Amino acid sequence: MAGVPTPPGPGQVPPAHLRVTHQDREHVVEHVKTAYAEGRFDKLEFDERLERAMTARTHGDLMPIMTELYGPQAVPMARPQVSAPARPQVPTDGAERLGASAAHLLAVFGFPVIGPLLLMLTAGKTSPYIRSHAVEALNFQLTLLGATILLPLTFVGIVLVPVIWVAAFVLSVVGGISALSHGAFRYPLTLRMVK
């Protein structure tokens, strides 16, 4: 159709005056985070680039950030490979599925923090699938422990603690079943302190 601009193809740089989407900003933010993790600049430089990326309105605002990171040949909207979230690999045998399931279910049997921690430190070294489930279960159990300690400081918290524990029991069982069936599982409202 005449007069309607066509979007740039793969590997092409979009015109500088085009407005950016949230996804465009997020792609550049991922590059900035990756470069910071690699030690390519300090915290102040990281904060400054992050601010510029998050407030960018056009591709012309994002291109200088990418040029600073990769030089003039940078393709601003290409996703960095290293920052993609790790998905648990599909296990090759039943032992891995059972180990990943145990990371969730040990909390049900009275080992809420110790169980996932031990699995992460032992079997997690040889199996990325077990490690991903053990880390998720450990983060959930640590969040639950913190909530159990802090919530009783309020009257509403005293009422909520038993409800939270019942929900935690159910979620641990669901996580265990999900791990047995080759699935990834993410607990809701969890602080992910352990990576």
mmCIF file of all heavy atoms in Angstrom, residues 3 29 35 47-48 57 60 77 98 100 102 108-109 112 114 134 141 143 146 157 161-163 165 187:
data_model
loop_
_atom_site.group_PDB
_atom_site.id
_atom_site.type_symbol
_atom_site.label_atom_id
_atom_site.label_comp_id
_atom_site.label_asym_id
_atom_site.label_seq_id
_atom_site.Cartn_x
_atom_site.Cartn_y
_atom_site.Cartn_z
ATOM 1 N N GLY A 3 2.383 4.870 0.610
ATOM 2 C CA GLY A 3 2.345 5.832 1.685
ATOM 3 C C GLY A 3 2.425 5.246 3.087
ATOM 4 O O GLY A 3 2.583 5.970 4.041
ATOM 5 N N VAL A 29 17.091 -2.749 27.470
ATOM 6 C CA VAL A 29 17.363 -2.916 28.897
ATOM 7 C C VAL A 29 18.079 -4.245 29.139
ATOM 8 O O VAL A 29 19.019 -4.329 29.938
ATOM 9 C CB VAL A 29 16.058 -2.813 29.720
ATOM 10 C CG1 VAL A 29 16.256 -3.326 31.135
ATOM 11 C CG2 VAL A 29 15.562 -1.370 29.744
ATOM 12 N N ALA A 35 25.493 -6.259 29.736
ATOM 13 C CA ALA A 35 26.785 -5.573 29.707
ATOM 14 C C ALA A 35 27.255 -5.240 31.123
ATOM 15 O O ALA A 35 28.443 -5.361 31.436
ATOM 16 C CB ALA A 35 26.687 -4.300 28.867
ATOM 17 N N ASP A 47 23.086 2.708 35.810
ATOM 18 C CA ASP A 47 21.857 3.429 36.163
ATOM 19 C C ASP A 47 21.506 4.474 35.106
ATOM 20 O O ASP A 47 20.339 4.633 34.738
ATOM 21 C CB ASP A 47 21.999 4.097 37.526
ATOM 22 C CG ASP A 47 22.028 3.089 38.675
ATOM 23 O OD1 ASP A 47 21.557 1.945 38.473
ATOM 24 O OD2 ASP A 47 22.531 3.439 39.753
ATOM 25 N N GLU A 48 22.515 5.170 34.600
ATOM 26 C CA GLU A 48 22.277 6.213 33.606
ATOM 27 C C GLU A 48 21.738 5.615 32.311
ATOM 28 O O GLU A 48 20.764 6.113 31.735
ATOM 29 C CB GLU A 48 23.583 6.988 33.370
ATOM 30 C CG GLU A 48 23.455 8.162 32.426
ATOM 31 C CD GLU A 48 23.853 7.809 30.999
ATOM 32 O OE1 GLU A 48 24.667 6.881 30.805
ATOM 33 O OE2 GLU A 48 23.335 8.455 30.077
ATOM 34 N N ARG A 57 11.664 7.475 23.835
ATOM 35 C CA ARG A 57 10.401 7.628 23.100
ATOM 36 C C ARG A 57 10.529 7.172 21.647
ATOM 37 O O ARG A 57 9.563 6.706 21.068
ATOM 38 C CB ARG A 57 9.942 9.078 23.144
ATOM 39 C CG ARG A 57 9.571 9.554 24.526
ATOM 40 C CD ARG A 57 9.150 11.013 24.498
ATOM 41 N NE ARG A 57 8.842 11.489 25.828
ATOM 42 C CZ ARG A 57 7.622 11.551 26.316
ATOM 43 N NH1 ARG A 57 6.607 11.158 25.600
ATOM 44 N NH2 ARG A 57 7.418 11.997 27.537
ATOM 45 N N GLY A 60 15.600 6.703 17.849
ATOM 46 C CA GLY A 60 16.748 7.593 17.931
ATOM 47 C C GLY A 60 17.263 7.759 19.356
ATOM 48 O O GLY A 60 18.437 8.044 19.566
ATOM 49 N N MET A 77 17.475 -3.673 18.200
ATOM 50 C CA MET A 77 16.402 -4.472 18.761
ATOM 51 C C MET A 77 16.720 -5.955 18.825
ATOM 52 O O MET A 77 15.857 -6.771 19.060
ATOM 53 C CB MET A 77 15.107 -4.271 17.958
ATOM 54 C CG MET A 77 14.622 -2.846 17.981
ATOM 55 S SD MET A 77 14.492 -2.194 19.648
ATOM 56 C CE MET A 77 15.530 -0.777 19.526
ATOM 57 N N LEU A 98 11.978 -37.142 39.553
ATOM 58 C CA LEU A 98 11.710 -37.449 40.957
ATOM 59 C C LEU A 98 12.471 -36.489 41.882
ATOM 60 O O LEU A 98 11.930 -36.005 42.878
ATOM 61 C CB LEU A 98 12.100 -38.894 41.254
ATOM 62 C CG LEU A 98 11.596 -39.478 42.559
ATOM 63 C CD1 LEU A 98 10.081 -39.425 42.627
ATOM 64 C CD2 LEU A 98 12.068 -40.913 42.707
ATOM 65 N N ALA A 100 13.478 -33.427 41.129
ATOM 66 C CA ALA A 100 12.867 -32.102 41.013
ATOM 67 C C ALA A 100 11.563 -32.055 41.794
ATOM 68 O O ALA A 100 11.256 -31.065 42.464
ATOM 69 C CB ALA A 100 12.630 -31.764 39.547
ATOM 70 N N ALA A 102 10.863 -33.870 44.416
ATOM 71 C CA ALA A 102 11.214 -33.903 45.841
ATOM 72 C C ALA A 102 11.561 -32.509 46.357
ATOM 73 O O ALA A 102 11.287 -32.189 47.521
ATOM 74 C CB ALA A 102 12.380 -34.857 46.066
ATOM 75 N N VAL A 108 6.417 -30.421 52.330
ATOM 76 C CA VAL A 108 5.207 -31.047 52.858
ATOM 77 C C VAL A 108 5.555 -32.024 53.979
ATOM 78 O O VAL A 108 4.798 -32.200 54.927
ATOM 79 C CB VAL A 108 4.449 -31.776 51.716
ATOM 80 C CG1 VAL A 108 3.271 -32.573 52.239
ATOM 81 C CG2 VAL A 108 3.999 -30.767 50.665
ATOM 82 N N PHE A 109 6.735 -32.646 53.882
ATOM 83 C CA PHE A 109 7.151 -33.643 54.868
ATOM 84 C C PHE A 109 8.033 -33.061 55.974
ATOM 85 O O PHE A 109 8.733 -33.795 56.666
ATOM 86 C CB PHE A 109 7.856 -34.801 54.163
ATOM 87 C CG PHE A 109 6.944 -35.553 53.239
ATOM 88 C CD1 PHE A 109 7.081 -35.434 51.867
ATOM 89 C CD2 PHE A 109 5.927 -36.354 53.738
ATOM 90 C CE1 PHE A 109 6.233 -36.114 51.012
ATOM 91 C CE2 PHE A 109 5.072 -37.037 52.892
ATOM 92 C CZ PHE A 109 5.221 -36.912 51.523
ATOM 93 N N PRO A 112 11.133 -27.694 54.927
ATOM 94 C CA PRO A 112 10.793 -26.618 54.007
ATOM 95 C C PRO A 112 11.982 -25.900 53.366
ATOM 96 O O PRO A 112 11.956 -25.641 52.184
ATOM 97 C CB PRO A 112 9.962 -25.659 54.845
ATOM 98 C CG PRO A 112 10.313 -25.964 56.250
ATOM 99 C CD PRO A 112 10.718 -27.403 56.286
ATOM 100 N N ILE A 114 15.546 -26.718 54.223
ATOM 101 C CA ILE A 114 16.682 -27.639 54.129
ATOM 102 C C ILE A 114 16.563 -28.568 52.928
ATOM 103 O O ILE A 114 17.541 -28.815 52.220
ATOM 104 C CB ILE A 114 16.810 -28.467 55.438
ATOM 105 C CG1 ILE A 114 17.063 -27.537 56.624
ATOM 106 C CG2 ILE A 114 17.892 -29.516 55.322
ATOM 107 C CD1 ILE A 114 18.358 -26.770 56.560
ATOM 108 N N ALA A 134 14.623 -26.839 42.415
ATOM 109 C CA ALA A 134 15.080 -26.665 43.794
ATOM 110 C C ALA A 134 15.233 -25.181 44.138
ATOM 111 O O ALA A 134 14.864 -24.750 45.239
ATOM 112 C CB ALA A 134 16.397 -27.405 44.013
ATOM 113 N N GLN A 141 10.058 -21.117 49.835
ATOM 114 C CA GLN A 141 10.092 -21.457 51.257
ATOM 115 C C GLN A 141 10.732 -20.337 52.082
ATOM 116 O O GLN A 141 10.307 -20.075 53.210
ATOM 117 C CB GLN A 141 10.818 -22.790 51.477
ATOM 118 C CG GLN A 141 10.103 -23.983 50.883
ATOM 119 C CD GLN A 141 8.696 -24.158 51.414
ATOM 120 O OE1 GLN A 141 8.402 -23.870 52.567
ATOM 121 N NE2 GLN A 141 7.795 -24.637 50.566
ATOM 122 N N THR A 143 10.613 -17.123 51.267
ATOM 123 C CA THR A 143 9.585 -16.077 51.292
ATOM 124 C C THR A 143 8.515 -16.418 52.323
ATOM 125 O O THR A 143 8.074 -15.558 53.097
ATOM 126 C CB THR A 143 8.950 -15.913 49.899
ATOM 127 O OG1 THR A 143 9.976 -15.620 48.950
ATOM 128 C CG2 THR A 143 7.914 -14.807 49.892
ATOM 129 N N GLY A 146 9.840 -15.841 55.837
ATOM 130 C CA GLY A 146 9.822 -14.409 56.152
ATOM 131 C C GLY A 146 8.417 -13.903 56.463
ATOM 132 O O GLY A 146 8.218 -13.140 57.407
ATOM 133 N N GLY A 157 -2.280 -10.136 60.070
ATOM 134 C CA GLY A 157 -1.267 -11.151 59.791
ATOM 135 C C GLY A 157 -1.486 -12.427 60.573
ATOM 136 O O GLY A 157 -1.264 -13.525 60.067
ATOM 137 N N VAL A 161 -1.706 -16.033 58.496
ATOM 138 C CA VAL A 161 -0.652 -17.052 58.534
ATOM 139 C C VAL A 161 -1.191 -18.463 58.302
ATOM 140 O O VAL A 161 -0.647 -19.193 57.463
ATOM 141 C CB VAL A 161 0.173 -16.953 59.844
ATOM 142 C CG1 VAL A 161 1.058 -18.165 60.024
ATOM 143 C CG2 VAL A 161 1.013 -15.694 59.826
ATOM 144 N N PRO A 162 -2.267 -18.904 58.955
ATOM 145 C CA PRO A 162 -2.763 -20.251 58.662
ATOM 146 C C PRO A 162 -3.231 -20.409 57.218
ATOM 147 O O PRO A 162 -3.023 -21.456 56.601
ATOM 148 C CB PRO A 162 -3.947 -20.424 59.638
ATOM 149 C CG PRO A 162 -3.728 -19.421 60.705
ATOM 150 C CD PRO A 162 -2.991 -18.287 60.088
ATOM 151 N N VAL A 163 -3.834 -19.364 56.671
ATOM 152 C CA VAL A 163 -4.284 -19.412 55.273
ATOM 153 C C VAL A 163 -3.085 -19.551 54.344
ATOM 154 O O VAL A 163 -3.100 -20.332 53.380
ATOM 155 C CB VAL A 163 -5.102 -18.145 54.928
ATOM 156 C CG1 VAL A 163 -5.470 -18.094 53.463
ATOM 157 C CG2 VAL A 163 -6.342 -18.060 55.805
ATOM 158 N N TRP A 165 -0.197 -20.861 55.050
ATOM 159 C CA TRP A 165 0.399 -22.193 55.182
ATOM 160 C C TRP A 165 -0.401 -23.252 54.424
ATOM 161 O O TRP A 165 0.174 -24.159 53.820
ATOM 162 C CB TRP A 165 0.572 -22.568 56.654
ATOM 163 C CG TRP A 165 1.844 -21.990 57.181
ATOM 164 C CD1 TRP A 165 2.001 -20.830 57.871
ATOM 165 C CD2 TRP A 165 3.157 -22.505 56.996
ATOM 166 N NE1 TRP A 165 3.327 -20.588 58.141
ATOM 167 C CE2 TRP A 165 4.062 -21.621 57.617
ATOM 168 C CE3 TRP A 165 3.658 -23.636 56.373
ATOM 169 C CZ2 TRP A 165 5.437 -21.826 57.626
ATOM 170 C CZ3 TRP A 165 5.032 -23.847 56.391
ATOM 171 C CH2 TRP A 165 5.899 -22.939 57.003
ATOM 172 N N TYR A 187 6.172 -20.281 41.607
ATOM 173 C CA TYR A 187 5.314 -19.941 42.733
ATOM 174 C C TYR A 187 4.907 -18.471 42.631
ATOM 175 O O TYR A 187 5.731 -17.633 42.271
ATOM 176 C CB TYR A 187 6.059 -20.145 44.053
ATOM 177 C CG TYR A 187 6.264 -21.584 44.441
ATOM 178 C CD1 TYR A 187 7.456 -22.240 44.154
ATOM 179 C CD2 TYR A 187 5.274 -22.284 45.106
ATOM 180 C CE1 TYR A 187 7.654 -23.564 44.520
ATOM 181 C CE2 TYR A 187 5.452 -23.602 45.486
ATOM 182 C CZ TYR A 187 6.645 -24.241 45.180
ATOM 183 O OH TYR A 187 6.827 -25.527 45.547
#
